[in-house]
Amino acid sequence: MPFFNLNLWFDYSKSSHNSVKIEKLKCMMVYFERITSSTEPVGVLTFSRYNLDNPDKNTIKNCTKKIRKTIFLSKGKIEDCGGAVQLDFANKYIGGGVLNSGCVQEEIRFVICPELLVSLLFMERMSEHECILIRGAERFSDYTGYSSSFRLKNEFIDTTKKDKYERIMTDVLAIDATKFRVKKDQFCEKYFWREIFKSYAGFFANWKEPKGQLPCLATGNWGCGVFNGDFHLKYLIQLISACVADRDLVYFTFGDQKLLNELSKMNQILLAKSVDVKTLVEFLLKFFDIRQNLNVSVNDFLTSILNSDVTSDK
């Protein structure tokens, strides 16, 4: 990160960004008012980096684990999903534009949990197969809106329990997706495997949970929005990585009921056909081949092939 200060939050030369910067400052004031008006804050945060050593396509291609059921929610927010590992749709430089005018999923998370900002000081750019996991960040603010409509709603009292190390038991997992200037560029093996290994690096990270239990993953439209990712393809990539890593997904569509219906239908068909990871990967690789000559969406292609007799014996 080239700088670490709040100077740009006081730069109002671009009127379109002024309201967002003011709301960020309000969130920061909520934080400082809380920690200076009570007893000395007590707690611990841990910052960890995990790298996927020697990523092997065959680990995914030959995986016979069945596709798992996804829980879809059109309402609610990732940070409200207690007990789950909560995804940060990160920039490769963690925090993204939080100290400037940026105000999408990652930046919002960092201003409602300001202690996450510490990571900008010592967490360098993530590599292609690397993730960052932060445990213990307390939430101080609630909000409404997104991007230019972001507004501080009120103070938030975080009642999440702490572990034996005095860390709030909230895990924030930062993984960065590829940003596409041209949307069609993502429909190829090169970027498919990049996103598979990036998400798998995060989902497979070596967390030590009691009794070997693995928490579910609270996620959503990772790599979509300003990164121009395809909603259906990005869901399937996360689903594949989660299944290989033996984790369940809780997927938030942030008010998009149409998308929820489409993804839910896709997941239901995969479950009904008892499709495994290997087969789903084969379908997607086939899709990349035919899409070069045929303009078809991944949703239409997969729905069509799943409703055919191709998977009837699987």
Side-chain angles (χ1 to χ4, degrees):
M1 196 71 183
F3 64 91
F4 188 85
N5 59 60
L6 306 184
N7 287 358
L8 292 178
W9 286 4
F10 295 91
D11 178 3
Y12 302 131
S13 59
K14 296 182 179 180
S15 59
S16 60
H17 298 153
N18 290 354
S19 62
V20 165
K21 292 179 178 180
I22 291 170
E23 296 304 315
K24 287 182 177 182
L25 282 168
K26 289 180 181 178
C27 291
M28 192 60 67
M29 295 305 296
V30 167
Y31 170 72
F32 281 116
E33 182 178 9
R34 173 92 64 82
I35 65 170
T36 57
S37 61
S38 59
T39 57
E40 182 177 348
V42 177
V44 174
L45 283 84
T46 56
F47 301 81
S48 308
R49 299 177 75 100
Y50 293 95
N51 185 67
L52 185 63
D53 294 327
N54 302 317
D56 183 4
K57 293 179 183 179
N58 290 326
T59 301
I60 312 296
K61 281 185 172 182
N62 298 328
C63 181
T64 57
K65 295 178 181 179
K66 299 296 184 181
I67 294 301
R68 303 166 77 101
K69 179 178 175 60
T70 302
I71 297 174
F72 294 97
L73 299 170
S74 63
K75 297 181 180 179
K77 304 166 185 173
I78 290 174
E79 58 267 24
D80 293 329
C81 194
V85 175
Q86 301 170 2
L87 260 69
D88 165 20
F89 303 163
N91 187 287
K92 59 186 176 182
Y93 293 97
I94 193 167
V98 63
L99 297 181
N100 200 334
S101 56
C103 198
V104 287
Q105 195 262 0
E106 179 173 42
E107 289 87 354
I108 290 173
R109 186 61 193 264
F110 275 54
V111 295
I112 65 172
C113 304
E115 290 162 341
L116 292 173
L117 291 168
V118 176
S119 62
L120 276 65
L121 286 170
F122 55 86
M123 284 293 179
E124 63 187 25
R125 184 181 69 175
M126 282 183 274
S127 69
E128 287 293 281
H129 307 134
E130 193 173 34
C131 70
I132 295 173
L133 175 68
I134 305 171
R135 169 169 279 200
E138 183 175 352
R139 182 177 168 190
F140 289 83
S141 300
D142 198 7
Y143 67 96
T144 60
Y146 187 82
S147 188
S148 60
S149 65
F150 172 76
R151 298 291 183 272
L152 171 67
K153 184 178 180 180
N154 49 43
E155 181 182 12
F156 183 86
I157 305 300
D158 195 334
T159 58
T160 307
K161 294 181 179 179
K162 293 184 177 182
D163 63 15
K164 63 181 180 180
Y165 302 109
E166 288 297 311
R167 301 177 299 180
I168 287 178
M169 295 180 67
T170 297
D171 291 316
V172 177
L173 171 64
I175 53 173
D176 58 299
T178 302
K179 188 172 184 177
F180 297 100
R181 292 186 177 182
V182 180
K183 192 165 187 175
K184 67 178 182 179
D185 288 349
Q186 66 194 286
F187 301 114
C188 68
E189 280 200 50
K190 173 184 175 182
Y191 291 116
F192 170 74
W193 288 114
R194 190 276 178 192
E195 305 297 75
I196 283 286
F197 289 136
K198 170 60 70 169
S199 55
Y200 183 59
F203 299 172
F204 192 68
N206 186 27
W207 297 314
K208 295 180 180 179
E209 299 295 335
K211 300 180 182 179
Q213 296 176 350
L214 294 174
C216 63
L217 300 154
T219 186
N221 304 325
W222 173 64
C224 301
V226 296
F227 276 42
N228 218 17
D230 181 89
F231 291 100
H232 301 87
L233 180 58
K234 278 296 196 291
Y235 162 64
L236 291 170
I237 287 171
Q238 292 183 85
L239 179 62
I240 289 169
S241 295
C243 290
V244 178
D246 296 319
R247 293 181 182 273
D248 293 317
L249 292 180
V250 178
Y251 197 100
F252 292 85
T253 62
F254 309 109
D256 191 334
Q257 188 63 45
K258 179 176 179 293
L259 178 63
L260 184 148
N261 293 339
E262 291 173 351
L263 297 183
S264 179
K265 180 180 178 181
M266 185 184 292
N267 185 239
Q268 289 171 8
I269 297 175
L270 289 168
L271 294 171
K273 296 286 186 176
S274 194
V275 174
D276 58 22
V277 170
K278 177 182 177 181
T279 303
L280 180 54
V281 170
E282 289 174 354
F283 288 161
L284 290 175
L285 295 181
K286 182 178 180 180
F287 166 74
F288 299 143
D289 286 337
I290 70 164
R291 199 184 185 281
Q292 304 301 319
N293 302 311
L294 184 64
N295 187 19
V296 61
S297 71
V298 64
N299 183 43
D300 290 342
F301 171 81
L302 195 59
T303 300
S304 174
I305 200 169
L306 287 171
N307 284 326
S308 71
D309 293 332
V310 174
T311 58
S312 60
D313 295 328
K314 290 191 178 293

